[in-house]
Each structure stands twice: as structure tokens, then as C-alpha cells.
Amino acid sequence: MKITPTALLVATFLPAVAGFAPAQRSHFPTSLASTTAQPPERIAPSAGWEPEWEGREGLSPEEFMKSDLSKPDLSGMWECPLTRWDSDGIDVKQAQKEAAKMPHCPLEISASAADNALGAEYFSQNKEKIRAELLKYGAIWFRGFDLMKSVAGNREMHEALGLDPCLDPLHSSGLRKFASERDALYEEVNKPSLRQHYIGLHNESTAKRTAAYAAFVCFQRATEGGGRFLVADGAA
């Protein structure tokens, strides 16, 4: 399912890297020595910090994977639009100045009890505002919405916003399988051959196909730690 126009950087996976030893050089005695007996301890940014949603319980897999069988099957989706190459004549420095004026990305929208009581109607009522803010900010982070805790609810959300699903730009590569094909929902990249690779920042596009919007949702917390999802605005 494609819903937020998040601009991400691309990471390239290298199947192998050749190592080359430096050229042989003569060694001369020196009076210089390291000022540190051992390297200082390195601590990851925000190490030990737990976000407010850490440990929050969600639905069971049996519950969140249920599809609303009363809705039509979306498995006959069209391919993503063709990538439009219109980079000619762009003033990069001017574009960077304009990008610097962009508001903080992503925009965070937290659900109130009243918002959750509306369910999908919240998105129907705020459709135009949400779509306008999506273009303004580049991405929206919906937090605390009960509706998107399941496959069926996630579909209700994007249908209420009037967004038409399309096949993943990499659909033919087999990198992603469907979590629920009839609901136009793919699972994460989980191909066995890539499980030991780091999935870096990237665009939801290829040289041929580009998803104009993309929606990402998490139904279940990571079972082995981690699970953080990074978003970059791509404005630099």
C-alpha cells in the first residue's frame, strides 16, 4: 500500500567487497605515541531512551491479520506510475534554499479519544486537510490511532483518504511478499537472502516505476529488539 510521499536516501547493497592492503612502506622510529591507552567507549545516540509507546500491547496476529471479506478484492491492482524524469534545468543551489524553508518533517498527528471514537470517519472528515498537509510536510506520522492496528482498519484509512493502491515499484523482483494481497498490503522486505543485510534509507521508486505515496504501518513490535523505522525528508 502506498500512501506517504516520504523522500528517502538510497543505500546500495554490495554482495562482496575486495580488500587491498596498503603499499609497503619503510618504518622509521618515532618519539610520537598514542595519547590514549585505549579508545574511549562509544555510546549510540539516545542509548537507553525508551519512547512512550515502548511495550504497548497490540492485537494478536489472528486479530490484526483479519480481512474484511465484505470489501472487494484489490489484488488486481495497476502497476505504479512511470517514473517521470524532469531534472533538466534545475538550479540545485536554489532548490536547496527552497528546501531549507520546508517545515519539520514528519508532521505528527496524535489521536484523541474523540478521534478514535470516529474511526475511519475521522479521515473522511479531515481528508482535504490531511492531503494538503501531506504535500506541505512530506510525511505524516499518525500516532495512537486504534483504526490502523489491523489490516482491515489500515485499508479503511487509505480508502477514506481517497488514495488508490498500486503494485510495489519492485513488485517483479520478489523482494516483498504480500501480507494481504486482497487489501493491497505488502509485508516488509523479508527475503531470506537479505535478512543479514542492513536496509538503508531509500526511495520508494525505481528508474522505471515510482509510488507517489506510501503508507507504512506496524501491527506487532519487534520480537528481537530494534525495530526502529527511520524517515529522511530528502531536502538536503
Side-chain angles (χ1 to χ4, degrees):
M1 190 48 255
K2 305 296 170 196
I3 301 181
T4 54
T6 309
L8 304 180
L9 303 177
V10 177
T12 302
F13 297 119
L14 300 179
V17 178
F20 297 92
Q24 294 294 324
R25 296 182 180 179
S26 300
H27 295 277
F28 300 95
T30 175
S31 59
L32 296 177
S34 172
T35 57
T36 306
Q38 63 184 66
E41 181 183 3
R42 297 188 177 187
I43 301 175
S46 301
W49 175 77
E50 290 190 358
E52 62 188 70
W53 59 87
E54 189 76 20
R56 182 181 297 172
E57 294 297 326
L59 301 176
S60 68
E62 293 75 19
E63 293 173 306
F64 66 66
M65 284 304 300
K66 285 182 180 177
S67 179
D68 185 349
L69 298 181
S70 68
K71 288 183 173 290
D73 189 335
L74 299 178
S75 59
M77 292 176 286
W78 291 88
E79 287 193 89
C80 278
L82 292 171
T83 299
R84 186 178 65 187
W85 296 97
D86 55 357
S87 58
D88 294 338
I90 291 179
D91 185 332
V92 175
K93 291 192 177 296
Q94 183 59 35
Q96 290 175 330
K97 290 179 181 179
E98 293 301 316
K101 301 175 185 177
M102 296 288 289
H104 176 76
C105 171
L107 170 67
E108 293 185 28
I109 299 180
S110 297
S112 65
D115 295 335
N116 273 326
L118 288 172
E121 187 61 26
Y122 168 85
F123 293 93
S124 296
Q125 292 179 8
N126 294 282
K127 172 183 174 180
E128 299 306 322
K129 180 181 179 182
I130 289 173
R131 294 191 63 152
E133 289 181 332
L134 189 54
L135 293 178
K136 178 181 178 181
Y137 289 88
I140 299 177
W141 183 8
F142 293 109
R143 303 179 62 179
F145 283 84
D146 292 335
L147 181 67
M148 288 88 85
K149 287 184 176 181
S150 67
V151 169
N154 190 65
R155 175 172 173 172
E156 286 188 68
M157 177 271 292
H158 70 73
E159 288 182 337
L161 291 176
L163 298 168
D164 297 323
C166 64
L167 291 173
D168 186 271
L170 293 173
H171 177 76
S172 60
S173 70
L175 286 177
R176 289 189 183 99
K177 296 190 298 183
F178 277 107
S180 178
E181 187 171 3
R182 73 179 317 278
D183 295 298
L185 186 67
Y186 286 88
E187 67 174 27
E188 73 282 6
V189 175
N190 200 26
K191 196 172 183 179
S193 61
L194 293 177
R195 286 177 183 170
Q196 300 304 314
H197 287 270
Y198 171 71
I199 306 297
L201 294 172
H202 58 277
N203 289 301
E204 291 300 310
S205 65
T206 68
K208 293 183 178 181
R209 300 279 176 180
T210 297
Y213 302 91
F216 301 89
V217 62
C218 180
F219 300 126
Q220 186 177 34
R221 63 181 297 183
T223 56
E224 298 182 14
R228 299 292 184 262
F229 187 83
L230 306 178
V231 178
D233 63 12

